Amino acid sequence: LPARGGRGQIVMGIENHTSFVRAVRGGRLRATAKPIHVGQRAQLWEATIVNVNPSDPGEEQRVIATGRVRLFCQDATSAGR
């Protein structure tokens, strides 16, 4: 299903690639996403998920999963035509 974006657009995922590096049975995870490309009609985002140990903030964070998603963006006013 399409979602409404912050720029008055309809946003649809057209490609998703996720790599799961290791399993996690409990604890806290942190996901960080950054845009690789943000155009008028297409966006590419990359995300990384790491484990977080609140009792030892200096502990090395291990990558749990990484992913990329490509989005198609269309103006909401022209989507219903």
Side-chain angles (χ1 to χ4, degrees):
L1 291 172
R4 290 222 180 255
R7 298 187 291 182
Q9 295 177 315
I10 303 283
V11 181
M12 296 167 275
I14 56 174
E15 181 181 14
N16 180 16
H17 178 82
T18 304
S19 295
F20 296 96
V21 179
R22 61 183 44 88
V24 175
R25 299 194 189 284
R28 299 181 90 178
L29 302 175
R30 176 178 292 127
T32 305
K34 64 179 180 177
I36 304 299
H37 170 78
V38 178
Q40 290 296 316
R41 302 201 52 148
Q43 297 182 9
L44 178 63
W45 288 77
E46 183 174 69
T48 303
I49 300 173
V50 298
N51 69 329
V52 177
N53 185 350
S55 62
D56 186 3
E59 180 182 332
E60 181 181 349
Q61 296 179 350
R62 297 177 67 188
V63 174
I64 305 303
T66 63
R68 282 188 174 206
V69 63
R70 184 174 303 278
L71 304 171
F72 173 75
C73 308
Q74 183 177 8
D75 289 334
T77 56
S78 63
R81 292 182 191 172

